């Protein structure tokens, strides 16, 4: 079965790869369409989750920096 390799490359250059197998009858158009739809339904939420997690980690780190710099001023 063919696989799709998704690579997320962060701003800092770190990479996260995930492999997704296309499952189904890939010899006909309907089967290919179904396999691609299944890929989107499986892969995209996982990619979105990774992106949201990274954004949350950046926001928490930024908040810690802000709080730390505010306490230094006191």
């Amino acid at each position: 079965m063919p696989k799709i390799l998704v690579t997320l490359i962060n701003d800092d250059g770190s990479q996260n790869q995930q492999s997704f197998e296309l499952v189904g009858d890939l010899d006909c158009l309907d089967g290919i369409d179904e396999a691609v739809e299944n890929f989107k339904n499986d892969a995209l939420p996982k990619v979105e989750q990774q992106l949201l997690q990274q954004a949350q980690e950046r926001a928490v780190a930024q908040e810690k920096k802000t709080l730390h710099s505010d306490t230094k001023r006191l």
Side-chain angles (χ1 to χ4, degrees), residues 5-10 12-20 46-47 49-51 53-54:
L5 181 63
V6 176
T7 304
L8 274 173
I9 302 173
N10 297 316
D12 64 2
S14 61
Q15 296 184 10
N16 186 349
Q17 291 186 340
Q18 289 188 343
S19 177
F20 299 92
K46 292 176 183 176
V47 171
Q49 179 184 11
Q50 286 181 332
L51 292 171
Q53 181 179 352
Q54 292 168 2

Side-chain angles (χ1 to χ4, degrees), residues 14-55:
S14 61
Q15 296 184 10
N16 186 349
Q17 291 186 340
Q18 289 188 343
S19 177
F20 299 92
E21 189 170 314
L22 292 178
V23 179
D25 180 14
L26 302 179
D27 293 329
C28 66
L29 294 178
D30 288 338
I32 292 169
D33 187 48
E34 183 178 348
V36 170
E37 284 300 315
N38 289 338
F39 161 74
K40 290 191 301 186
N41 292 335
D42 185 39
L44 296 182
K46 292 176 183 176
V47 171
E48 181 180 22
Q49 179 184 11
Q50 286 181 332
L51 292 171
L52 290 171
Q53 181 179 352
Q54 292 168 2

Side-chain angles (χ1 to χ4, degrees), residues 62-74:
Q62 182 61 39
E63 184 66 24
K64 285 181 181 179
K65 283 183 185 178
T66 302
L67 289 174
H68 184 67
S69 65
D70 287 348
T71 57
K72 281 187 173 182
R73 292 181 192 165
L74 297 174

